[in-house]
């Protein structure tokens, strides 16, 4: 006995009223995309449910892992599917299923039967009662509990027969593609991949931008960011990653501006370039991994000064999170081990010993005027030399 299909449960899509089919279709598209590498499956919609049916052999663990990365799925139920069958065959199918899923473990259960095929000689109430009796007979360690069963055994008679009882939690959220596109400022740290994951989880396509500063940052630091983008793309789908050479802008800031303001001014130029790229690539918002007070450049005043250069909304999904909470998510989504690899990032090289923690926008603007002779040309050069790759 093998599982040969999966019933996909979805949560929030269910409340979308008239637009529901758009969300279901987006979910089906993402499921097909996720399973493309795993094997051959048919994904279809039937009466408010999505079924994934295997067309040939497949790896069970790999399939569950792939489905576990599809936003919009609240639970995955492995199903045994068979051709419509006589009562004796149905009993055998269900008993084989119970044997396969639970062996001789003791458990309480309830049978939930559904009969979409109204020609079947028993009603759904009769199927549930008679099947319950058969299970008790075959598995003496089991007991019926109709109020709080440990196992809810579903038997559904449609054009075919479906048996399932196990629910594996999915990632939740909304299918990617249902909520526009945003530009993620992706560094090699712990926070920004988590921020990208969280916004993508709400159905948003991601583009990403990374600022590197060769030779102060290495090729390996850049590869680490590509690796992080690839890990996030397991959930978000393919990411267009734009790599900006930021060295000359950083050097100019270092040369001309007060050193205690370096980080803030640098962050403001990152945001300006990111917004420019976002507009060029049809993104409606920016995403960063900032959290109030985490470092000097993320105090309330620093965030205000950084944000002041953007007209687009900048989403900061981690804004109220403690570091440990962010680490917990990065471990869950498997970016943590890559994030902590010890490759320098461009911010750490040009940091001041005592950065301002309460910058005033007017003072920062005043300092930035010192760049006025060179900055337009440097910005143009940076934008002209962007390297873009598709990461998946
Ligand atoms: P992270 O862990 O995401 O690197 P951080 O705690 O190191 O964050 P900062 O270095 O202050 O914080 O950066 C704040 C945010 O700015 C990052 O979360 C990221 O969105 C963006 N950012 C910082 N450096 C870069 C970079 N080199 N390229 C792209 N985005 C960056
Ligand atoms: Mg960082």
């Amino acid at each position: 006995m093998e599982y040969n299909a999966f019933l996909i449960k979805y949560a929030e899509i269910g409340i979308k009223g008239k637009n529901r089919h758009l969300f279901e279709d987006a979910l089906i598209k993402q499921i097909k995309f996720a399973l493309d590498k795993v094997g051959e499956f048919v994904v279809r919609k039937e009466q408010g449910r999505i079924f994934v049916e295997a067309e040939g052999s497949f790896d069970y663990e790999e399939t569950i892992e792939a489905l576990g990365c599809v936003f919009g799925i609240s639970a995955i139920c492995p199903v045994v599917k068979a051709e419509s069958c006589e009562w004796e065959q149905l009993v055998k199918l269900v008993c084989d299923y119970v044997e396969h899923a639970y062996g001789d473990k003791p458990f309480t259960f309830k049978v939930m039967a559904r009969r979409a095929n109204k020609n079947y000689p028993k009603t759904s109430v009769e199927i549930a009662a008679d099947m319950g009796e058969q299970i008790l007979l075959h598995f003496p360690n089991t007991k019926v509990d109709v109020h709080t069963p440990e196992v809810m055994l579903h038997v559904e008679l449609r054009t075919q027969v479906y048996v399932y009882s196990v629910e594996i939690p999915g990632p939740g959220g909304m299918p990617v593609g249902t909520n526009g596109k945003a530009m993620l400022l992706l560094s090699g740290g712990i926070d920004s991949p988590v921020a990208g994951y969280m916004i993508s989880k709400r159905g948003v396509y991601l583009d990403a931008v990374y600022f590197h500063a060769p030779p102060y940052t290495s090729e390996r630091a850049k590869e680490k960011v590509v690796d992080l983008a690839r890990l996030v793309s397991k959930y978000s789908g393919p990411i267009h990653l734009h790599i900006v050479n930021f060295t000359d802008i950083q050097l100019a800031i270092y040369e001309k501006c007060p050193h205690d303001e370096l980080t803030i001014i640098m962050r403001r130029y990152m945001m300006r370039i990111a917004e420019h790229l976002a507009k060029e690539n049809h993104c409606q918002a920016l995403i960063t991994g900032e959290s109030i007070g985490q470092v000097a450049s993320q105090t309330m005043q620093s965030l205000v000064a950084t944000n002041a250069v953007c007209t687009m909304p900048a989403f900061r999904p981690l804004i109220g999170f403690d570091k440990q909470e962010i680490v917990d998510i990065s471990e869950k989504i498997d970016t943590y081990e890559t994030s902590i690899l010890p490759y320098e990032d461009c911010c750490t090289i040009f940091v001041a010993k005592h950065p301002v923690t309460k910058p005033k926008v007017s003072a920062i603007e005043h300092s930035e005027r010192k760049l006025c002779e060179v900055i337009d040309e440097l910005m143009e050069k940076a934008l002209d030399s962007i390297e873009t790759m598709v990461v998946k």
Side-chain angles (χ1 to χ4, degrees):
M1 150 115 3
E2 297 285 341
Y3 293 119
N4 51 6
F6 299 89
L7 167 66
I8 303 299
K9 294 197 169 170
Y10 43 87
E12 268 180 70
I13 301 175
I15 59 177
K16 290 294 169 207
K18 266 196 274 176
N19 288 334
R20 179 175 167 147
H21 69 281
L22 298 176
F23 289 83
E24 289 171 334
D25 292 347
L27 181 56
I28 288 175
K29 185 173 158 203
Q30 293 304 321
I31 291 172
K32 284 182 176 164
F33 177 74
L35 292 178
D36 206 31
K37 289 163 245 159
V38 182
E40 285 212 17
F41 296 89
V42 173
V43 186
R44 56 182 189 82
K45 197 158 65 164
E46 187 181 314
Q47 294 168 339
R49 288 156 166 240
I50 291 174
F51 284 102
V52 173
E53 298 175 352
E55 289 278 89
S57 64
F58 66 100
D59 185 291
Y60 175 79
E61 298 296 334
E62 243 181 82
T63 308
I64 294 292
E65 198 192 321
L67 290 172
C69 293
V70 179
F71 292 135
I73 295 183
S74 73
I76 306 152
C77 306
V79 173
V80 168
K81 183 191 78 172
E83 296 304 316
S84 183
C85 48
E86 301 291 316
W87 176 249
E88 280 72 28
Q89 288 165 295
L90 186 62
V91 171
K92 178 163 182 348
L93 182 76
V94 171
C95 288
D96 283 354
Y97 173 90
V98 172
E99 172 83 40
H100 176 71
Y102 303 100
D104 55 4
K105 280 191 216 128
F107 60 85
T108 61
F109 74 95
K110 173 180 177 176
V111 178
M112 282 284 283
R114 265 207 206 193
R115 187 184 58 142
N117 170 7
K118 298 290 177 207
N119 294 327
Y120 203 79
K122 287 178 193 274
T123 65
S124 49
V125 176
E126 287 165 348
I127 296 171
D130 295 354
M131 194 58 81
E133 220 167 83
Q134 290 296 324
I135 293 171
L136 289 171
L137 211 67
H138 285 84
F139 301 91
N141 278 341
T142 63
K143 256 200 216 139
V144 170
D145 180 346
V146 290
H147 301 294
T148 51
E150 287 156 358
V151 172
M152 185 70 90
L153 186 69
H154 296 264
V155 178
E156 301 194 359
L157 304 175
R158 299 165 178 269
T159 36
Q160 293 180 306
V161 179
Y162 298 85
V163 182
Y164 62 94
S165 64
V166 177
E167 270 198 23
I168 301 163
M174 308 290 290
V176 172
T178 54
N179 260 316
K181 183 157 101 164
M183 179 68 70
L184 168 66
L185 284 88
L186 181 63
S187 69
I190 294 170
D191 306 329
S192 43
V194 173
Y197 166 89
M198 287 178 68
I199 295 295
S200 178
K201 184 174 174 189
R202 299 305 303 164
V204 179
Y205 277 125
L206 297 183
D207 262 28
V209 54
Y210 166 60
F211 297 90
H212 79 146
Y216 303 97
T217 59
S218 65
E219 196 58 22
R220 192 60 196 84
K222 177 171 125 184
E223 273 161 29
K224 174 179 158 181
V225 173
V226 177
D227 290 344
L228 284 170
R230 189 170 298 116
L231 291 168
V232 174
S233 78
K234 262 173 63 181
Y235 297 91
S236 67
I239 295 175
H240 284 76
L241 173 63
H242 311 276
I243 298 172
V244 179
N245 186 325
F246 203 50
T247 313
D248 290 345
I249 293 176
Q250 269 192 312
L251 287 173
I253 299 170
Y254 193 74
E255 192 184 310
K256 295 184 189 294
C257 301
H259 283 192
D260 60 349
E261 293 172 355
L262 286 181
T263 310
I264 293 293
I265 295 176
M266 195 182 74
R267 298 275 305 114
R268 282 162 57 95
Y269 278 100
M270 283 187 185
M271 296 298 272
R272 288 179 173 111
I273 293 174
E275 181 170 271
H276 180 97
L277 270 175
K279 285 180 181 157
E280 248 179 18
N281 291 280
H282 314 289
C283 297
Q284 291 95 27
L286 303 175
I287 307 166
T288 80
E290 290 157 314
S291 145
I292 295 175
Q294 197 190 76
V295 286
S297 59
Q298 295 176 28
T299 62
M300 185 65 86
Q301 293 84 348
S302 298
L303 288 167
V304 168
T306 305
N307 202 63
V309 297
C310 304
T311 55
M312 231 179 217
F315 295 137
R316 298 175 169 87
L318 308 179
I319 201 71
F321 280 38
D322 293 349
K323 193 73 189 186
Q324 189 56 48
E325 293 172 306
I326 302 170
V327 166
D328 290 347
I329 301 177
S330 77
E331 283 177 334
K332 189 183 89 183
I333 66 171
D334 206 24
T335 52
Y336 182 73
E337 292 300 325
T338 305
S339 287
I340 59 170
L341 292 173
Y343 304 109
E344 72 292 348
D345 91 37
C346 63
C347 314
T348 54
I349 285 164
F350 294 94
V351 289
K353 275 216 183 73
H354 302 289
V356 283
T357 53
K358 293 185 178 157
K360 274 212 173 98
V361 177
S362 57
I364 300 290
E365 284 170 348
H366 181 261
S367 303
E368 283 178 354
R369 271 182 226 124
K370 300 186 173 120
L371 295 165
C372 68
E373 280 173 19
V374 292
I375 197 68
D376 287 348
E377 199 189 324
L378 293 179
M379 288 275 274
E380 209 169 297
K381 207 173 124 202
L383 289 168
D384 281 347
S385 62
I386 288 173
E387 179 195 347
T388 298
M389 57 176 85
V390 182
V391 182
K392 53 184 175 185

